[in-house]
Amino acid sequence: MKTLLAALSLLALPISSVIAAAPPPIAAFGTTPVINHVTLSTDGRLLASSFGGEQVSIVILDRAAKKITQRVAFDQKLKLRTMGFVNESVVIAVFSITRAEIGDSESKAEITAVFALNALDGSSRQLLEAKANNRIVPASASFLSRHGAAPGEILMSALVTDNAAAGAAADSASRAVLSVDPLTGAWRVVEKGNRLTSNWLVDRQGVVVGRVEFYRKDQQTSIRIKDGDDWRTIHEFTDPDFDVIGLAADAKSVLAIGARGGERVRLWSIPFDGSGPKLLYEDTQYDIEGVVRDRYDQSLQGLRIGGLSQPVYWLDAKAESRVRALEAALPGRNAEIVAYTADGQQVLALTESRNAPGVYYIVDFATNRAEVVGQQYPQLAKVPLGTVKEINYAARDGYAVPAYLTLPAGMEAKKLPLVVLPHGGPRARDSGRDFDWWSQFMASRGYAVLQPQFRGSTGFGQKHELAGYRQWGKLMQNDVTDGVRKLIADGTVDAERVCIVGASYGGYAALAGAAFTPELYRCSVSVAGVSDLVEMLRWVENRGGTESPAVRFWRKHIGKTSDPDVAEFSPARAAGRVKAEVMIMHGVDDTVVPYVQTEYMVSAMKSAGVRHELVQLKSEDHWLSRSPSRIEMLAQLERFLGKHLGTPTP
């Protein structure tokens, strides 16, 4: 394989050119992917990619001319979430930005902004931007389909007010489908919904076929299909975990995934005739976590299956053969087709694994040639990274808990210092296919890393997930604790050198570990973690109302504010039990777990005389979206772990 372009390789070095270093610098892991969100035009002539750093920029590469033709920088407050070509020359990029709520500078929200970029001249514009006397509600726009009501236009969904009054409230608006000219920004309403409309169903020609409505009072979702000038209901349900994922390719049924009372999450078809959901596919052991669909005709190509390895069950032989060919050429890596040309001959693929950083390739199946586009983490090329093992261990009740164990390269798995790294969510399981920069960073510093997929995690069947409901600090925490004790018992790790680290729910687990199993951990690090469950529930209620979907979710997963266990298993209310040294890091712009959660814990630790450190991450959100924050977080973590666990050398 050859490097596609020297201009790109300056920032994303070809694999063969990087000399290994041990250990790699912090920035090698903490910098957001140098090259990311790579996408291919429908004719294959142009590539678009974002480049990491303190300010997001998008570059356009002309493959025929072998040079970068456009480079567009965006406001440094914007965070790119996804992008893609909608035709031969127009890129749609979806950003998010953290904004303070109107009239309340302490309350913040993450809102979206959709931009269109003309790849030919480098011009860009925000689509459906809310301005004075504009009928679009601020931050309500989202990209819907690359087809519009007229050639060259695209479909977008947005909340539209019934009057032109500036500052109209979102609750006075209805969701509509708009046909938008991405080059001029002009738009017009194609289909109007109502205040209950939450989503639209659009076929591959860009025709609105149906809509989804959510009745907040009854917590009921309805799927309605357009029937002439009327709308006909084909199915209603109240299960919040039954997710509509779009139309089937023939536009005669709706696809959805959910358990519907079964043992695993399954794939369903909901026919337009109103006969109800029909089971399409069910794995014999794990949940269906998602689907792979054709970029152009929306046909089902494969199903993403859960479990530790997260394989794809292929339905399309041609799509499977292409992925298998890439994986055979790059052993140990998973390949994902992220874009391809309309004729299917040229394919853009991302290859990676838990211990192999992502590399983008262009493959021309007509000529059987492959070219390297660039690497996400170029400084880690040729660097020996940690070995990842998929394990299962017995919890105290005999239940088998799946987990990932990362061992430092070149070190014997005996009496190692351990970092246990519970994931967030708590449903948001760790990926078995993607590069894990955080665990690999710690392994590069000589620490074993355990990532338990404790009960409550998705992907391992309904029994596994439901067993974690309302088990914060209890069964879910026990699964983490028992994994640590197993590694101590078999001699893999040193019982005197164990630290628990985590973000979001994982941050809660880190604080809970220090509070409720104080004898087990030498230190604890929480990043954007929940510390007071009662106050967290109240915050969610105040933001969305007592009957909002978010409140229902948290009540189901945590409990009610009046439940004794909710207060009892709040680390901030048990700070006096903590013996370990604690470090808390938290972004001040967090819109998921408010910064006040850290203030509760810090105040409680001060009162209890607990040794602790506080690191405030400026201008940072819940996801550590910016390189400076990731680098600072890893630098603080390296220092803190070295202080309390020692600094082993791989």
Side-chain angles (χ1 to χ4, degrees):
M1 296 185 181
K2 67 177 184 178
T3 305
L4 180 60
L5 181 65
L8 280 182
S9 66
L10 291 175
L11 292 177
L13 297 175
I15 291 175
S16 61
S17 69
V18 181
I19 300 173
I26 292 172
F29 296 92
T31 301
T32 55
V34 170
I35 180 172
N36 204 16
H37 303 295
V38 183
T39 186
L40 183 67
S41 63
T42 55
D43 61 1
R45 184 169 64 91
L46 302 176
L47 271 171
S49 172
S50 68
F51 277 95
E54 293 193 25
Q55 184 172 20
V56 173
S57 63
I58 295 175
V59 300
I60 304 298
L61 167 70
D62 187 314
R63 296 180 61 213
K66 293 189 176 181
K67 67 177 182 179
I68 291 174
T69 56
Q70 308 294 339
R71 186 186 297 269
V72 183
F74 290 85
D75 188 304
Q76 63 180 359
K77 295 181 181 179
L78 290 171
K79 294 163 281 190
L80 182 62
R81 300 306 185 188
T82 185
M83 70 177 186
F85 276 94
V86 293
N87 53 35
E88 292 84 0
S89 60
V90 175
V91 177
I92 299 297
V94 180
F95 295 83
S96 75
I97 187 171
T98 308
R99 288 266 178 88
E101 300 281 8
I102 297 175
D104 184 1
S105 61
E106 295 299 317
S107 182
K108 299 174 182 178
E110 197 77 10
I111 64 175
T112 58
V114 183
F115 283 78
L117 171 63
N118 186 336
L120 300 180
D121 63 15
S123 61
S124 65
R125 67 168 56 249
Q126 185 176 349
L127 301 180
L128 304 184
E129 183 179 8
K131 298 179 179 178
N133 298 320
N134 194 325
R135 292 168 55 207
I136 301 296
V137 173
S140 67
S142 60
F143 174 66
L144 198 60
S145 170
R146 65 190 184 91
H147 297 285
E153 297 187 352
I154 62 173
L155 292 185
M156 296 183 68
S157 172
L159 291 173
V160 180
T161 61
D162 293 329
N163 56 63
D171 59 9
S172 69
S174 59
R175 186 158 294 278
V177 177
L178 312 178
S179 187
V180 183
D181 185 327
L183 299 181
T184 67
W187 60 270
R188 60 186 178 280
V189 175
V190 174
E191 195 73 58
K192 291 186 66 175
N194 54 42
R195 292 171 61 185
L196 303 175
T197 303
S198 60
N199 203 358
W200 294 96
L201 300 169
V202 178
D203 69 15
R204 61 188 183 186
Q205 283 79 38
V207 177
V208 177
V209 175
R211 70 191 192 203
V212 180
E213 296 180 351
F214 177 69
Y215 299 80
R216 183 166 174 165
K217 181 178 180 180
D218 301 322
Q219 300 293 306
Q220 178 177 283
T221 299
S222 295
I223 303 174
R224 308 193 71 195
I225 300 304
K226 193 171 185 181
D227 191 356
D229 293 330
D230 297 322
W231 293 86
R232 175 169 51 87
T233 300
I234 63 168
H235 186 59
E236 295 178 328
F237 58 92
T238 56
D239 181 356
D241 296 322
F242 190 60
D243 298 321
V244 175
I245 59 176
L247 288 177
D250 63 3
K252 295 181 180 179
S253 62
V254 176
L255 298 177
I257 56 174
R260 284 182 54 82
E263 296 181 2
R264 289 166 291 279
V265 174
R266 300 171 281 180
L267 178 67
W268 302 84
S269 169
I270 306 172
F272 286 2
D273 63 12
S275 57
K278 306 291 189 298
L279 181 63
L280 284 184
Y281 183 80
E282 177 181 19
D283 188 69
T284 57
Q285 188 174 3
Y286 299 119
D287 295 327
I288 294 175
E289 296 186 313
V291 299
V292 181
R293 305 189 75 175
D294 184 89
R295 179 184 184 187
Y296 297 96
D297 67 15
Q298 292 299 296
S299 61
L300 274 176
Q301 294 182 323
L303 307 173
R304 301 186 186 278
I305 309 300
L308 287 170
S309 298
Q310 292 184 290
V312 174
Y313 176 78
W314 291 100
L315 305 171
D316 183 295
K318 187 175 182 180
E320 179 181 14
S321 67
R322 289 178 172 174
V323 170
R324 299 293 186 221
L326 285 165
E327 292 178 339
L330 299 160
R333 288 177 174 265
N334 303 302
E336 180 180 359
I337 306 299
V338 295
Y340 44 93
T341 55
D343 62 9
Q345 292 300 309
Q346 298 179 64
V347 169
L348 174 67
L350 174 62
T351 65
E352 62 182 326
S353 70
R354 283 186 58 86
N355 66 342
V359 181
Y360 285 96
Y361 294 88
I362 284 280
V363 183
D364 190 329
F365 282 96
T367 62
N368 287 320
R369 297 185 65 193
E371 302 170 322
V372 177
V373 175
Q375 300 177 69
Q376 293 186 322
Y377 296 87
Q379 288 181 284
L380 298 179
K382 293 294 184 180
V383 171
L385 294 172
T387 301
V388 182
K389 295 184 176 181
E390 297 178 357
I391 65 172
N392 286 272
Y393 59 85
R396 63 192 66 183
D397 59 359
Y399 187 85
V401 180
Y404 302 102
L405 177 63
T406 303
L407 299 172
M411 294 184 70
E412 184 182 3
K414 185 176 181 180
K415 293 292 183 179
L416 293 169
L418 174 69
V419 174
V420 57
L421 186 65
H423 62 70
R427 303 170 75 238
R429 53 143 317 148
D430 291 304
S431 171
R433 299 176 61 88
D434 301 338
F435 179 66
D436 192 323
W437 57 272
W438 200 354
S439 64
Q440 285 296 333
F441 168 76
M442 289 185 286
S444 77
R445 269 53 186 170
Y447 305 108
V449 183
L450 175 67
Q451 294 173 278
Q453 306 308 294
F454 43 80
R455 277 169 277 195
S457 307
T458 57
F460 299 89
Q462 287 292 282
K463 177 183 176 182
H464 190 80
E465 179 182 348
L466 296 177
Y469 284 19
R470 301 194 178 194
Q471 292 295 315
W472 289 50
K474 296 181 286 185
L475 183 59
M476 289 194 295
Q477 195 72 29
N478 292 346
D479 284 352
V480 175
T481 301
D482 294 345
V484 174
R485 288 179 170 156
K486 182 266 181 189
L487 294 178
I488 292 171
D490 67 18
T492 302
V493 305
D494 182 350
E496 300 300 317
R497 294 189 294 165
V498 180
C499 188
I500 183 167
V501 178
S504 193
Y505 171 82
Y508 164 84
L511 297 175
F516 306 130
T517 50
E519 75 288 348
L520 191 60
Y521 299 111
R522 177 72 63 86
C523 59
S524 169
V525 181
S526 170
V527 180
V530 177
S531 70
D532 191 311
L533 300 180
V534 175
E535 293 301 329
M536 184 68 196
L537 287 166
R538 287 174 178 164
W539 181 80
V540 176
E541 290 175 354
N542 290 336
R543 278 173 66 92
T546 56
E547 297 303 323
S548 70
V551 169
R552 288 189 70 211
F553 174 87
W554 287 115
R555 284 178 181 168
K556 182 168 66 174
H557 284 268
I558 297 177
K560 297 180 180 179
T561 55
S562 58
D563 293 342
D565 284 356
V566 174
E568 180 183 353
F569 288 99
S570 294
R573 302 184 183 215
R577 299 171 60 180
V578 175
K579 297 179 181 179
E581 294 219 21
V582 177
M583 181 167 66
I584 298 181
M585 294 184 273
H586 205 150
V588 297
D589 287 342
D590 196 327
T591 58
V592 178
V593 176
Y595 188 80
V596 70
Q597 283 287 318
T598 281
E599 294 176 337
Y600 294 143
M601 191 68 195
V602 169
S603 177
M605 288 191 294
K606 285 181 178 179
S607 297
V610 175
R611 296 184 301 273
H612 65 277
E613 298 182 26
L614 171 63
V615 178
Q616 189 180 76
L617 301 174
K618 305 291 186 181
S619 301
E620 190 49 74
D621 58 25
H622 187 68
W623 308 278
L624 299 180
S625 296
R626 302 185 188 283
S627 296
S629 297
R630 290 190 184 187
I631 292 170
E632 181 179 4
M633 184 274 289
L634 292 181
Q636 296 286 357
L637 181 62
E638 181 179 48
R639 176 191 58 79
F640 192 76
L641 292 177
K643 177 181 177 181
H644 298 292
L645 301 186
T647 53
T649 302

